[in-house]
Structures are given as C-alpha cells and as structure tokens.
Amino acid sequence: MKKILAIAALALGVAVSAAAQPKAIGGRLGLGIEASYEHCVGSPNFFEVDLGLDMESLAHDSFGFQATATYNFVIAQPDWTSRGDWQFYAGPGVSLGWLNDKVVYHDKDLDVKGSHWDDGFMVGICGQVGLSYTFWFPLQLAVDIRPVVGLHINDGWSDDAGNRYGSKVGFYNKGISWCWIPTLAVRYAF
C-alpha cells in the first residue's frame, strides 16, 4: 500500500511540475502551415513539436505532411526592451513525413539521367535556429530556419515503356535547398 501511495504521489508531483512550466501553442507559416506547441523544460530550454501541411507538395498536385520535434537550447536572452522577453535559441531534432521531393536518377545500363517529382516517406535529423519575442501579454512571435538532412523513400520512376529508373531511397533534397526560407511562428503563451 505504501508503494502505491508513493508512486501516486510521485506521479502527481510530476504532473503538477509539468503543468507549471511555461507553454505556448499556435502556428508556423513558411513553405507550409503547421500547428506548433512549445513546452519549457529546465527553463529556459524548451521542446517544440510541429505538425503541418507541406504547401510546396500541393504545388506539384500532391499531398504532403510533416511532423518535427526539436529540443531547443536558449543561447541568449538579450535585454533589448523594457517589457517582454527576447530569446535566441538553437537545437537538434527529428523530422518525418509524407512529402513530394525531386528524385534524381541515373541508369548506367540505359545511359539515362534525369529527375522528376515523386511522393514518398521522409525521415531525417534537423537543426533549428531562431529568435523569439514574448510580449508582456500572452503572445509570442518567432522567426527561425530549420534545415533537415534525411532520406526520401519513393517509388522511383517508370517511363511509358515500363523501364524503371532511380533508386527507391534517395537524399531528401528539399530539406537543404528550401530550409533557408524563414518561418514565422505566432503562438499563445501560457
């Protein structure tokens, strides 16, 4: 009975501690639209979890989504304003999703080279670097970039004659080429 009470007290303490940490929920807008959640752990560092639609895939008549989780270290908290809080942050993370990416192929036997856009599963590691400002009222604005290095697993490409080109596993090209476009986040901080 004592063990059960001790475990229950520990679980309650962890839950209360987690609920007391600062959090923020909102959205991110860049090449996609994402729902975003931040949770501080060991203040001022925080976890960020984002889930969204890849709008660039829609430009190629395809559906794409991506989920990303990062652990961000607050590098600096400059005192630029008398009210509100500034933060420079950076951290590693993981990303996965179903996206459209440029697949480059080269078949040495048929001497065929080229590229095409194909849907596929993406998995990779990422890094995030950003700047955020939390107002004295519950609003947070952030700008960041998040490059992803990973693999894109797809079907390859077949021509009209049924010849198949390309491998089914390739480098995730958009993770490096499109990552330099900044993303704007707007969140409700509580």
Side-chain angles (χ1 to χ4, degrees):
M1 184 68 172
K2 289 182 182 181
K3 287 183 183 181
I4 293 174
L5 288 174
I7 291 172
L10 179 64
L12 181 62
V14 168
V16 168
S17 174
Q21 299 297 322
K23 302 176 231 6
I25 190 165
R28 298 176 80 238
L29 180 62
L31 281 177
I33 298 172
E34 298 178 333
S36 180
Y37 175 75
E38 282 187 4
H39 188 98
C40 286
V41 289
S43 188
N45 301 336
F46 60 93
F47 278 108
E48 182 177 331
V49 178
D50 303 310
L51 176 63
L53 297 175
D54 182 44
M55 302 307 280
E56 202 277 327
S57 289
L58 293 176
H60 291 94
D61 297 324
S62 177
F63 171 76
F65 71 91
Q66 187 170 357
T68 304
T70 59
Y71 182 80
N72 294 288
F73 298 94
V74 174
I75 299 166
Q77 293 178 303
D79 193 17
W80 289 337
T81 56
S82 61
R83 297 173 74 182
D85 296 315
W86 290 91
Q87 290 183 333
F88 280 109
Y89 57 90
V94 295
S95 186
L96 58 91
W98 181 263
L99 302 166
N100 193 277
D101 193 31
K102 188 173 187 177
V103 177
V104 178
Y105 58 86
H106 179 199
D107 190 311
K108 292 179 183 178
D109 296 334
L110 299 173
D111 194 31
V112 177
K113 295 180 182 179
S115 65
H116 74 285
W117 288 89
D118 194 15
D119 290 333
F121 179 74
M122 180 277 300
V123 61
I125 58 172
C126 63
Q128 181 167 286
V129 176
L131 172 68
S132 71
Y133 178 67
T134 304
F135 290 85
W136 54 96
F137 50 91
L139 176 66
Q140 179 190 71
L141 298 177
V143 176
D144 61 56
I145 57 172
R146 185 169 54 201
V148 178
V149 176
L151 298 175
H152 187 254
I153 304 162
N154 58 75
D155 292 335
W157 180 70
S158 297
D159 62 14
D160 293 335
N163 297 318
R164 187 175 241 9
Y165 306 110
S167 70
K168 293 187 175 193
V169 177
F171 182 72
Y172 175 56
N173 295 297
K174 286 192 316 189
I176 297 297
S177 61
W178 296 88
C179 73
W180 306 110
I181 298 173
T183 300
L184 173 65
V186 179
R187 298 181 187 96
Y188 169 73
F190 57 100

